[in-house]
Amino acid sequence: MAKSQILAIDAGGTMTDTFIIDEKGEFVVGKAQTTPKDESIGLMESAKDALTYWDTTVEKEFPSLLAGVYSGTAMLNRLVSRVGQRVGLVLNKGMEDNHRMGRAVQSHLGYSYADRIHINTHHFDPPLVPRNLTVGITERVDMHGNMIIPIYEDEIRPAIQQLLDRDVEAIVISFLHSFKYPDHERKVRDIAKEMVKEAKKDIKVFASVDYYPVRKESHRTNTTIVEAYAAEPSRISLEQIGTKLKEVGSDFDLRIMASHGGTISIQANELARTCVSGPIGGMVGAKYLAESLGLPNVACSDIGGTSFDVGLITQGELAIDSSPDMARLVLSLPLVSMDTTGAGTGSYVRVDPNYGNLTLGPDSAGALVGVCNPEGGIETVTVSDCHVVLGLINPNNFIGGKIILSPEKAYEAVKTQIADPLGLSVEDAALGVTELLEAQLGNYLESMILGKGYSPAQYVCFSYGGGGPLHTAGYTKGLGFEDVLVPAWAAGFSAFGCGAADFEYRYDKTLDLNVAEKEDSEVILSTGKELQSAWDELKEKVAEEFDKNDHAEDSVRFRLFYRMQYQGQLNDLEIEAPFERFNGVEDWDVLVKTFEETYSRVYAKSALSPELGYSVTGAIVRGIVEVAKPKIPTEPLSGKTPPAEAFLGKRKVYWTDGWIDANIYEMEKMKAGNVVGAFSILESTATTLVVPTGFEAYLDENRIFHLKEL
C-alpha cells in the first residue's frame, strides 16, 4: 500500500535531491544529477532512487502524496546568465539612467577581498533593462510622502506606447518614494493595463508599490524588475514541473521554498523571493533539527558541488537580511542571512601562472563532476578529481554507481595541471588541494562567526550537503565548536529542510514613525494606530495569498513583527511583537522593552540609548499554515563496535603520513551507538564521511554522527 505523503525537492547546481516522507514522518532520500534544461527529468530520477529504499515506484507512490515542496536555482541562473523577459521600465523623468548605472557596490559584488580593493577589476554587468526600453514620466514625491510635482498625465500614454511599440513582454513602474505615496504608480499601472488590453497583448504590468513597498529605490526597482524579468518565466517552468508530477498521478499544488524561510505557492504574487531557495532549505532544516534536539545556537555549513554556504541560528532564530544581494544586484527581499563562497567539490583547481600558487574556483564543473567523469567533457582539474586520486571516494559508487569515475583520468589531469608545475608528487598535490580548501573553508566559517560578535565555542556546528562530510573534520579542526554534527541524511539535507518548512507568506512595509523617549500619549497612540493600520493591510495581503490555495483566514496563524532602531542610527532590528493588536500606550511600552532586550543581546546593554528616541522603520506580517513534517529518526542504541555487515573492507588512502589502509564502512548499516576511529571512511550512495587521524565519530540514536576531535 502506498505510504508517501510529502515530496521535498532540492534541485541544486550539481545534484537534485528528493526527500520523501511517509505517514509516520519517516523518510527516504534520493539523488540524481541535475538536468538544467528540464529539471523534471532529474527530479523523477531522484525520486525513483529514493523509492528504491521502500522497494516501490513513483507510479505507486505519487498518487498518495498530499504535498510537494520545490527548491532550486533555475531563477537565479536566469539572473546570472541574464536570460529573461524583455522588460520595459517606467521611472521618474530625469532618472532614466539610474538602473543602467546601478549602485557602486554592484561593480564588485561577489568579488574576493583582493579584487574588491582594486578598482581596475570592478565592472558592471549589463542591466536587466537596457536604456532603450526605459522611459520617464514627470512627477515627484518627497521622502515624507508629500507630492511636490503632480504627475503629468499627458506623458503617461506616450511613454507606455513607446514600450509597447518596442515589443516589451512586461512593464515595470517604479517612482521615487512611491511607498510613501502610491497614487502616481497606481495611476500609471491602471492606464498601462488599459492600453495593453486595447492592444490585445499579453503583457503583465508590475508597479513596485504592489510588490515591494519599501525604501531604497535601487533595491526596490531591481526587485520589481526581477519579478518581471526572471520570476514570471520561472513560474512557467514551475508549472511544467507541476504538470509532470500530475502526469504520474500526484494531485497537489506545488509549493516553493522562499527566501524568508517558509514555503509559498507557485501562484504567489511575489515569486522573486524564491530566487535562492536551495541553500535556504538547509538553514530551515537545521533550525527544525536544532529545535528537536534542544540546541539554541547552531553554525550551519553546507558544501555542495559549487559553493560553501554558512549561516547562524542564534537563540533558536534565523537572522533576516532585508537588503540582500544576489546575481550582482542589490534587492529588497527578506532573506535568511547567509554567507556564500564559491568553493565546493566541483570547484576548478588551477596553478596561478604569475605567482605559481594554487587557486580554487570560484567557477565549477557543477553536475559534470570533473575530469574523472569520462562522460562530462571537463578538462580542468576539480576538487573531486583530487578526492579520487587520494582514494577518499569510491569511483565505482558515485551516486550509487550511476557515474563510474576514472582514477586514471583524474591522476593524469592532476599530474599535468597541478603536480608537475608545482614540482610535487601527484598525491601530495592532490592532498595540498584538499588541505587548502579546508583551510579556506575553516577560515571563512570562523571569520563569519567572529564577525558577528560570537565565538565557535558558543555553537554546535552542523555539516551537511553532498560534499560536507568529506571535509567536516578538516574545516572544523581547531575551531573549538561545542559539538560537530553530521546527519546521516546530510546529502539530502536541503530537501529535508523543504519538507520541514511551514506553508508561510511574509509581507513587509516601510514606515517612518519617530517617538521621543518621553513622548506624550497622543503621539504614542497616533504612532500605534499607524503601525496597526500597516499590520492590518499586510494581514489582508497574506490572507489573499492563502485564499488562492483554499486556506480560510481563520486557519492561518498570523505573527506580527516590527523593525525598530534608535533615532539617527543606521541599522534597525527585526522583532516579533509580543501581542496580537496594538490597543494603547502600555503596548508601546511593551514594544520598547522588547526592542531594548533584543538590542542588549545583539550589541550590549551599555549601548542602550533611549535618550535618542525611537524609530519604527517597518511593519511585517507572517502568516503560517501548519503542514506535516518529517520525524527525526530514533532507534535503540547498540554497542560501540559496528556490525560485521557494515564493514566493507579496506582501501588505500593517501594522507599526511603517506599511503595508509583505511577502514571502509557502509553508512546505512551502521547502528546507533557505534563508534569508529581513524582512519575510517563511511560510504553512502550520496555522500562520504571521512574520519581522519585525530578524530572519531559516534552515531547517536537519531542517526546523527558526532565528529569528535581527540
Side-chain angles (χ1 to χ4, degrees), residues 486-623:
V486 182
W489 62 98
F493 199 79
S494 288
F496 162 79
C498 292
D502 289 312
F503 190 8
E504 176 185 324
Y505 285 95
R506 168 188 169 127
Y507 276 94
D508 299 49
K509 183 176 181 178
T510 288
L511 299 173
D512 286 301
L513 307 176
N514 296 308
V515 178
E517 180 185 9
K518 297 178 181 178
E519 191 63 86
D520 62 63
S521 58
E522 286 187 16
V523 173
I524 291 175
L525 288 173
S526 175
T527 299
K529 183 178 179 181
E530 191 168 346
L531 175 58
Q532 185 60 52
S533 176
W535 279 332
D536 290 341
E537 176 188 338
L538 297 175
K539 281 179 70 174
E540 186 176 335
K541 292 177 74 173
V542 169
E544 287 174 359
E545 293 285 16
F546 278 114
D547 187 57
K548 295 176 184 177
N549 292 89
D550 300 322
H551 288 287
E553 186 172 342
D554 58 8
S555 69
V556 180
R557 178 168 62 90
F558 292 100
R559 297 175 66 190
L560 309 181
F561 292 78
Y562 61 104
R563 301 192 74 92
M564 183 180 276
Q565 65 188 55
Y566 287 119
Q567 289 186 40
Q569 293 191 339
L570 295 176
N571 298 313
D572 55 15
L573 295 173
E574 181 178 314
I575 307 158
E576 184 168 7
F579 49 71
E580 295 182 358
R581 189 168 190 85
F582 189 100
N583 293 310
V585 174
E586 63 279 1
D587 290 329
W588 173 257
D589 295 336
V590 172
L591 291 179
V592 169
K593 180 183 178 184
T594 307
F595 163 70
E596 295 195 323
E597 287 174 351
T598 306
Y599 193 94
S600 298
R601 188 172 66 247
V602 173
Y603 300 108
K605 192 171 184 179
S606 58
L608 295 175
S609 306
E611 69 280 0
L612 296 176
Y614 305 91
S615 292
V616 177
T617 57
I620 302 155
V621 171
R622 301 176 77 153

Side-chain angles (χ1 to χ4, degrees), residues 335-414:
L335 175 69
V336 172
S337 185
M338 297 179 64
D339 290 321
T340 299
T341 184
T345 55
S347 293
Y348 288 126
V349 184
R350 301 179 178 93
V351 175
D352 188 300
N354 297 314
Y355 302 103
N357 60 302
L358 280 174
T359 62
L360 303 178
D363 48 344
S364 164
L368 300 177
V369 188
V371 180
C372 57
N373 177 11
E375 306 299 322
I378 298 297
E379 298 180 353
T380 304
V381 169
T382 68
V383 174
S384 291
D385 291 315
C386 297
H387 293 154
V388 174
V389 168
L390 296 172
L392 295 177
I393 58 178
N394 182 348
N396 299 315
N397 192 43
F398 195 76
I399 323 178
K402 292 178 182 176
I403 298 178
I404 303 300
L405 305 180
S406 168
E408 294 77 18
K409 288 178 72 70
Y411 185 94
E412 185 58 33
V414 172

Side-chain angles (χ1 to χ4, degrees), residues 88-120:
L89 179 61
V90 182
L91 299 174
N92 298 78
K93 182 163 282 189
M95 305 286 184
E96 294 92 338
D97 287 301
N98 277 19
H99 172 64
R100 180 174 65 86
M101 292 188 297
R103 293 292 295 269
V105 70
Q106 291 178 194
S107 69
H108 56 80
L109 284 175
Y111 281 16
S112 66
Y113 177 74
D115 287 332
R116 287 200 306 270
I117 62 174
H118 295 296
I119 195 167
N120 61 325

Side-chain angles (χ1 to χ4, degrees), residues 9 23 44 132 178 197 220 298 313 343 408 465 507 537 676:
I9 309 146
E23 75 280 0
M44 298 307 295
N132 69 319
S178 61
K197 187 175 181 181
R220 173 164 52 87
V298 174
I313 298 169
E408 294 77 18
Y507 276 94
E537 176 188 338
V676 294

Side-chain angles (χ1 to χ4, degrees), residues 669-695:
K669 291 183 178 178
M670 298 284 290
K671 301 291 185 181
N674 289 172
V675 177
V676 294
F679 199 106
S680 296
I681 295 177
L682 285 70
E683 293 184 345
S684 174
T685 57
T687 192
T688 300
L689 172 61
V690 175
V691 185
T693 307
F695 285 83

